[in-house]
Amino acid sequence: MPALFVVTITVWGATNKLSDDNQIKYKKMEIVELTQQWDKVFPQSDKVNHSKVTFQNRYGITLAADMYVPKNTNGKLSAIAIAGPFGAIKEQSSGLYAQTMAERGFLTIAFDPSYTGESGEQPRYVASPDINTEDFSAAVDFLTTLENVDSERIGIIGICGWGGLAINAAAMDTRIKATVASTMYDMSRINVNGYFDSMDADERYKLRRQLNAQRTIDAKTDTNALGGGVPDPLPEDAPWFVKDYHSYYKTERGYHPRSLNSNNGWNVTTALSFINMPQLSYIDEIRNAVLVIHGENAHSRYFSEDAFKKLTGDNKELLIIPGASHVDLYDRLDIIPFHKIEVFFQEYLK
């Protein structure tokens, strides 16, 4: 097991005083545990400096992140905050994206979303369209405080379910000058409609009843039932895309002991908030640049194509990677179009 150290620094900060009637308020950052040793599923690069950082979102949740800074750079850098896939942690795909983009000259952070990985708060393993959209903005908040970051040149990358959340964040946070969504899911749509929009209103009502019955059980037992991560062993009739997930989360390629998908999964009732609060409602109003990337053979391709149809302006682009599956864009360095991503951020973070 990797050694642990505890972040014991208590951070107190004062909000701006807006009027004489306002009281100056202070917030105390939650103490979180961070691994000291390198425990990523990818090798460490000798081209960047790596460190652990923490910051807070506006709900008071402490988020943990890995920061990657290119070596031998001077002046203020463009910066990118990265999260995803849905049910993964920063030691997996988002960290690989972050390290690779730092090798290409950007200061990057890969963060664990609220309630997951090394980030804080209880109950564990909960997702929310509101809170997780806010997580991206909190990452932007943090990047604006760094002396070696140009606060006018900040972008984000979201992978899988955090691809949809990244576009959602871009619709809200005008400080995000450029957004990349890679192999994205719309988590609201899939929870409302099921895979390939196969669920009707009666099935959706049945699902709500099941989830709310689970809430009653959780309340009475003072527990939070987990839904299970990627199945292992795989049933013989598992869909091919579930086999695709298994090849990443349940093998040496991508398994991590803190990853939800590698282990026991999300809180069962997590789906309720996504069913009731749709994402992507205002993405047609995004004025800053967006690059949407998806694999040609991905089961989830329709999420990216339909989201792209809602985007407006001449600074939006959809890139389909020939022959690629959904999971190929998690870690396949020979398939992920990092050069294209680099050129995109160079153009719009300047």
Side-chain angles (χ1 to χ4, degrees):
M1 293 294 291
L4 297 178
F5 70 91
V6 178
V7 177
T8 56
I9 299 174
T10 300
V11 179
W12 296 90
T15 62
N16 291 332
K17 191 171 183 180
L18 301 179
S19 72
D20 292 338
D21 295 330
N22 286 357
Q23 298 294 320
I24 296 178
K25 299 178 181 179
Y26 294 88
K27 56 187 180 181
K28 183 177 181 180
M29 187 175 287
E30 177 187 6
I31 295 173
V32 296
E33 292 185 342
L34 302 175
T35 57
Q36 186 175 18
Q37 296 179 353
W38 184 267
D39 65 343
K40 322 302 182 193
V41 301
F42 52 90
Q44 187 170 10
S45 171
D46 61 3
K47 298 177 182 178
V48 303
N49 293 316
H50 164 263
S51 60
K52 288 293 188 76
V53 297
T54 58
F55 52 93
Q56 227 173 7
N57 70 16
R58 69 185 180 92
Y59 296 107
I61 300 170
T62 299
L63 302 181
D66 288 297
M67 183 161 67
Y68 299 89
V69 183
K71 292 182 177 179
N72 303 317
T73 56
N74 296 306
K76 291 184 179 293
L77 303 174
S78 298
I80 308 169
I82 306 168
F86 198 78
I89 53 173
K90 63 188 183 304
E91 285 72 24
Q92 296 171 309
S93 181
S94 62
L96 176 64
Y97 273 67
Q99 180 173 264
T100 304
M101 294 308 296
E103 290 177 332
R104 292 168 180 262
F106 301 88
L107 184 149
T108 65
I109 58 171
F111 65 88
D112 284 330
S114 296
Y115 307 107
T116 66
E118 294 181 311
S119 290
E121 276 304 331
Q122 299 288 334
R124 303 303 293 163
Y125 316 134
V126 173
S128 159
D130 180 22
I131 294 174
N132 296 136
T133 298
E134 158 61 21
D135 287 343
F136 269 115
S137 286
V140 174
D141 290 343
F142 170 74
L143 290 172
T144 66
T145 70
L146 301 180
E147 292 185 357
N148 55 343
V149 167
D150 183 341
S151 62
E152 295 299 315
R153 293 189 287 146
I154 295 176
I156 61 174
I157 299 175
I159 306 161
C160 184
W162 259 263
L165 288 160
I167 296 177
N168 204 49
M172 180 270 295
D173 195 331
T174 57
R175 301 172 301 170
I176 298 169
K177 297 301 191 295
T179 300
V180 171
S182 180
T183 195
M184 72 159 279
Y185 262 54
D186 177 345
M187 294 308 302
S188 295
R189 181 175 176 180
I190 197 166
N191 280 291
V192 168
N193 296 330
Y195 279 105
F196 314 114
D197 297 327
S198 61
M199 188 184 300
D200 61 24
D202 289 338
E203 292 170 315
R204 192 156 44 249
Y205 180 74
K206 182 179 178 181
L207 175 61
R208 289 192 185 101
R209 285 179 59 88
Q210 291 172 343
L211 294 175
N212 285 297
Q214 184 63 56
R215 287 193 66 153
T216 298
I217 295 170
D218 290 350
K220 289 181 176 180
T221 59
D222 195 25
T223 60
N224 291 283
L226 299 178
V230 175
D232 187 39
L234 281 170
E236 292 183 4
D237 60 348
W240 66 269
F241 60 86
V242 175
K243 296 177 181 177
D244 205 27
Y245 287 129
H246 186 279
S247 73
Y248 182 78
Y249 288 107
K250 291 295 188 176
T251 69
E252 185 179 351
R253 173 184 172 191
Y255 176 84
H256 197 283
R258 288 194 299 276
S259 166
L260 285 71
N261 285 342
S262 291
N263 295 282
N264 293 322
W266 292 98
N267 185 314
V268 171
T269 58
T270 282
L272 282 168
S273 61
F274 286 96
I275 291 172
N276 207 44
M277 289 176 259
Q279 305 171 67
L280 310 184
S281 297
Y282 296 100
I283 65 172
D284 61 316
E285 298 181 7
I286 298 174
R287 298 189 182 185
N288 290 327
V290 180
L291 171 63
V292 182
I293 302 169
H294 224 104
E296 177 187 23
N297 296 334
H299 68 284
S300 51
R301 176 176 165 179
Y302 66 101
F303 291 123
S304 283
E305 291 177 330
D306 288 353
F308 181 74
K309 291 174 186 176
K310 298 178 182 179
L311 298 173
T312 59
D314 59 4
N315 55 357
K316 314 297 190 296
E317 183 176 354
L318 173 65
L319 177 64
I320 302 298
I321 307 301
S325 73
H326 181 88
V327 172
D328 284 340
L329 294 179
Y330 285 7
D331 67 338
R332 290 283 302 274
L333 294 176
D334 58 329
I335 291 179
I336 300 169
F338 279 118
H339 177 69
K340 172 64 177 180
I341 296 171
E342 176 186 359
V343 170
F344 170 78
F345 280 123
Q346 285 175 340
E347 179 177 1
Y348 292 106
L349 300 183
K350 63 182 180 181

